[in-house]
Amino acid sequence: MDTTLTRIQNWYKLNCNGDWEHSYGFSIKTLDNPGWTVRIDLQETALENLDYTKDFQNPENEYDWYNIRTKDGALNIFCGPENLEQTLLIFLDEIIPNYTDSSFSYDIFLPLVGYKYEIWTLAKGIMINEKTLQLTEILPVNYMEVKVKDLDLIDFKQSDLENLILNYKIGDSVQIDIAEVFDGLILTVKNK
């Protein structure tokens, strides 16, 4: 079972695509009353249309509280000093499974097998959880859209690509990872 921190890292990684992480992200800071504040940017994610509010205050303990709400394209969490993990689990276990937009698709690059180095081809997937996508579309292998680590490695042509094997099909659930390619980061599948 993944830890809460690992799960948050996976959600962040799921949204890193070479662009998103330059404008958006995830931040955790302390409050002086005491407590925590968390901001999770939701723009350009499967939660970008989230409208959510949840509050809690323990009447017997003034430091046992939280306030969670969306505002300005972000999920904002304010909580007591011992409620940080609890609120992050609300995000992971309540918000993601119940409020993910199933029409929002992520670009994911799938590895092609049978060449001397890694080549990835484009597919689309929807978020199942913070580390898993379900493949909804696999685009035809196209020389102009494949990814490699280094442009100097391109010593193949379209007909070579057609002989490579793709070990995935629509409907497969895949765990995500990120890889660096010649033009930035791509979302890809975790090695089995």
Side-chain angles (χ1 to χ4, degrees), residues 100-145:
T100 292
D101 180 352
S102 62
S103 67
F104 184 95
S105 66
Y106 287 87
D107 286 349
I108 184 165
F109 287 83
L110 304 174
L112 293 168
V113 178
Y115 208 69
K116 56 188 169 188
Y117 49 81
E118 294 176 301
I119 301 174
W120 294 275
T121 189
L122 183 60
K124 304 278 185 180
I126 57 172
M127 184 168 63
I128 302 300
N129 60 39
E130 72 277 354
K131 68 178 179 181
T132 308
L133 293 179
Q134 182 179 33
L135 299 177
T136 56
E137 182 180 5
I138 298 175
L139 284 72
V141 178
N142 181 335
Y143 177 83
M144 298 304 291
E145 293 182 8

Side-chain angles (χ1 to χ4, degrees), residues 30-159:
T30 55
L31 296 171
D32 62 359
N33 59 338
W36 300 95
T37 179
V38 178
R39 179 182 167 95
I40 305 171
D41 290 322
L42 302 176
Q43 299 97 326
E44 299 178 26
T45 77
L47 293 168
E48 67 185 354
N49 297 315
L50 179 66
D51 184 14
Y52 186 87
T53 301
K54 188 170 189 172
D55 297 304
F56 167 77
Q57 174 65 61
N58 182 344
E60 297 175 11
N61 180 349
E62 67 180 297
Y63 298 114
D64 184 13
W65 63 276
Y66 61 78
N67 173 278
I68 306 170
R69 57 188 17 86
T70 49
K71 183 179 179 188
D72 300 327
L75 184 67
N76 298 287
I77 299 171
F78 302 92
C79 64
E82 295 182 358
N83 300 95
L84 179 60
E85 183 170 24
Q86 177 186 15
T87 58
L88 293 176
L89 287 172
I90 289 170
F91 173 66
L92 294 165
D93 294 334
E94 180 180 327
I95 293 174
I96 288 175
N98 296 313
Y99 297 94
T100 292
D101 180 352
S102 62
S103 67
F104 184 95
S105 66
Y106 287 87
D107 286 349
I108 184 165
F109 287 83
L110 304 174
L112 293 168
V113 178
Y115 208 69
K116 56 188 169 188
Y117 49 81
E118 294 176 301
I119 301 174
W120 294 275
T121 189
L122 183 60
K124 304 278 185 180
I126 57 172
M127 184 168 63
I128 302 300
N129 60 39
E130 72 277 354
K131 68 178 179 181
T132 308
L133 293 179
Q134 182 179 33
L135 299 177
T136 56
E137 182 180 5
I138 298 175
L139 284 72
V141 178
N142 181 335
Y143 177 83
M144 298 304 291
E145 293 182 8
V146 296
K147 299 291 184 178
V148 295
K149 290 190 181 280
D150 184 343
L151 281 176
D152 293 335
L153 297 176
I154 298 180
D155 62 353
F156 51 84
K157 50 190 178 288
Q158 179 68 35
S159 59

